[in-house]
Amino acid sequence: MNRVLILGSGPDAPQAANWDLSCFDAVVAINNAWRALPNWTHHIHPDDFPPERRPQDVQPDQHVITSADYVPAQNAYGGFVYAGGTMAFTAAYWALHALRPSQMCFYGCDMVYPKAEQTHFYGTGTADPLRDDPTLKSLPAKARRLQYFAAHQACEMLNLSGSESVLPYPRADVRAISAPVDPVMFAIERVKVARKMEEDAGYYVPSGMYWTELARFSQDVLDDIDAAWLRAFDPA
């Protein structure tokens, strides 16, 4: 099994440093998450991530992933507008495209930010998924869309978090991630509807810089697409 860990900067992220990471073929650390787990294999960050906060001592077996890598990968799955313009999803789509895993595990990527509690393992930070962005109005819908594309590649999605989480994937303990889980269930005809709605909208931005074209995106159209993805996974 080709197993990938996607590590975010949630409050629990440093616990991953205590894990036996031999079960993972790759560890993709997002933004500041490399500080929580020094033996990452891939570090992914947006172009505006401050250079002083990037890893300075990159080992020969470690790789830095930039927009030159993840923009073409994300475009292969329809682009940022439909995928959701935050790095947790960007990292996952890049991993699907570049690493072709059969199992993808998430930790520290819950994207839940209680106002009275610590939001990141390094303190209180600015929550990227909460910014005013038309692509991020429904994080659960974006998570379901990602889950479909993973299933299409025979990739199982797991959430290793023990906390409240936006990610709707089956929960698992890192010590038992080889245990079988129920297959992902979705209505393929409803998926086809969601994909056709995306195609008809035409909100594809090859450069990845979708924020430079916000004027041509209708929030109502994006909301309808999100609703279609949620319906595709609704057992009713």
Side-chain angles (χ1 to χ4, degrees), residues 65-115:
I65 308 304
T66 69
S67 60
D69 308 293
Y70 63 70
V71 169
Q74 190 116 323
N75 284 345
Y77 298 95
F80 288 81
V81 175
Y82 303 133
T86 192
M87 288 305 295
F89 296 134
T90 296
Y93 279 108
W94 172 82
L96 275 181
H97 188 264
L99 304 179
R100 313 296 293 189
S102 52
Q103 190 176 76
M104 188 180 299
C105 302
F106 292 82
Y107 194 66
C109 299
D110 293 321
M111 292 183 278
V112 175
Y113 308 100
K115 293 182 179 180

Side-chain angles (χ1 to χ4, degrees), residues 126-142:
T126 301
D128 181 68
L130 294 186
R131 73 185 190 278
D132 186 17
D133 187 306
T135 77
L136 298 174
K137 299 302 182 182
S138 177
L139 296 175
K142 303 305 187 187

Side-chain angles (χ1 to χ4, degrees), residues 51-64:
E52 65 272 15
R53 288 162 57 186
R54 304 174 189 177
Q56 304 301 311
D57 186 19
V58 178
Q59 299 302 307
D61 59 347
Q62 294 178 319
H63 309 277
V64 176

